[in-house]
Amino acid sequence: MPLQIVTVPCLGDNYAFLVHSPETGETALVDAPEEFPISQALETRGWSLSHILITHHHGDHIDGLGALRAACGAQVIGAGADAHRLPKLDLAVGDGDSFDFAGQQVQVIDVPGHTIGHIAFYIAGAGAVFTGDSLMALGCGRVFEGTFDQMWASLSKLAALPPGTMVCSGHEYTAANARFAASIEPDNRDLQTRTAAIAKARADGTPTVPSMLAEELKTNPFLRAGLPGVKAILDMSDQPDAAVFAEIRTRKDNF
Ligand code: ZN
Ligand code: FE
């Protein structure tokens, strides 16, 4: 039986995810923005947490962790590199590590940029990657601690996963991201189609997260910095991919 993935809206515009194995009964939480919506989502389903996975140290991804851990004693897994500023870890992981969850391999991918110790969790058996504030739906996290080069390298690693991968990211920023994306590629038909779908989903109160990697590759300007067409639009045809990414990210910061 496949793993079930549940999106849990938290705070104003955060998402946490529950990953549940009907076979073993285990449930993993990815990120803990706040306790209540998560404990409620667990209670409704009769699930209890066995694992808590943390993508990065920001409060809107960890502030609910203490209370959730106290309630269930789940194993907490996060980046060893950030252990000094994360809640106490039971398992410290780094790039290339993998661990077992309910008989499935969870692969750790180092994705620095937004923060230095930011990691993503890829579960090939579930066809899903949990990206926190690295790759987001139609966007990417602001580059706070790392460099543009690091963030570009991080996004490139995620972009190389199978296109059928579901991207479970940490925020509902998609409608604003769509407005920005249109400023970079106004003639991108796939982007226009996706923007219409996003507007409809938001009007219905439906989350736009998770998204599919294939769709991100066709529409997310931050993944498209290496394409000759995008470079030409920005008049940067002779520039390296990372420089084009830096230009797009800087424009977004000032959008
Ligand atoms: Zn963050
Ligand atoms: Fe965040």
Side-chain angles (χ1 to χ4, degrees):
M1 262 198 284
L3 295 174
Q4 293 170 242
I5 297 177
V6 175
T7 305
V8 186
C10 293
L11 304 173
D13 54 22
N14 275 74
Y15 290 121
F17 299 92
L18 295 174
V19 186
H20 177 74
S21 166
E23 244 155 54
T24 68
E26 287 167 286
T27 305
L29 168 70
V30 183
D31 283 345
E34 60 174 333
E35 180 196 7
F36 182 68
I38 295 166
S39 55
Q40 203 183 32
L42 289 164
E43 208 177 289
T44 330
R45 292 170 180 79
W47 298 349
S48 79
L49 292 180
S50 53
H51 300 71
I52 300 175
L53 281 48
I54 308 170
T55 61
H56 67 294
H57 75 90
H58 285 156
D60 63 314
H61 298 258
I62 62 170
D63 282 352
L65 197 151
L68 290 161
R69 181 194 343 227
C72 62
Q75 185 187 21
V76 177
I77 301 164
D82 259 357
H84 61 285
R85 54 180 181 176
L86 288 172
K88 188 186 165 309
L89 301 176
D90 300 304
L91 181 64
V93 294
D95 195 40
D97 286 350
S98 62
F99 57 91
D100 176 277
F101 167 71
Q104 301 271 0
Q105 275 234 323
V106 183
Q107 228 171 288
V108 178
I109 307 172
D110 206 10
V111 287
H114 178 70
T115 67
I116 287 297
H118 199 308
I119 54 177
F121 300 97
Y122 174 53
I123 311 181
V129 65
F130 298 87
T131 58
D133 292 353
S134 57
L135 175 60
M136 295 184 180
L138 260 187
C140 74
R142 200 180 268 256
V143 178
F144 283 125
E145 296 178 9
T147 63
F148 290 123
D149 281 13
Q150 276 176 325
M151 188 62 144
W152 172 247
S154 296
L155 294 179
S156 301
K157 285 196 234 176
L158 296 170
L161 294 173
T165 303
M166 212 164 72
V167 180
C168 301
S169 54
H171 288 273
E172 182 62 59
Y173 293 161
T174 321
N177 288 342
R179 285 191 288 280
F180 172 71
S183 77
I184 302 292
E185 287 192 282
D187 299 327
N188 180 335
R189 284 292 187 86
D190 295 316
L191 176 60
Q192 292 163 3
T193 307
R194 188 175 180 192
T195 300
I198 290 162
K200 182 173 185 316
R202 294 316 292 149
D204 298 345
T206 308
T208 62
V209 174
S211 56
M212 297 304 290
L213 182 57
E215 185 113 43
E216 298 303 334
L217 292 168
K218 286 191 286 184
T219 55
N220 186 325
F222 300 101
L223 294 185
R224 296 171 59 77
L227 298 179
V230 172
K231 290 187 178 184
I233 291 171
L234 298 174
D235 215 2
M236 296 181 78
S237 293
D238 56 345
Q239 297 288 312
D241 301 353
V244 180
F245 167 76
E247 170 66 21
I248 297 173
R249 186 58 252 183
T250 305
R251 286 189 187 204
K252 175 68 163 68
D253 292 346
N254 300 310
F255 188 66

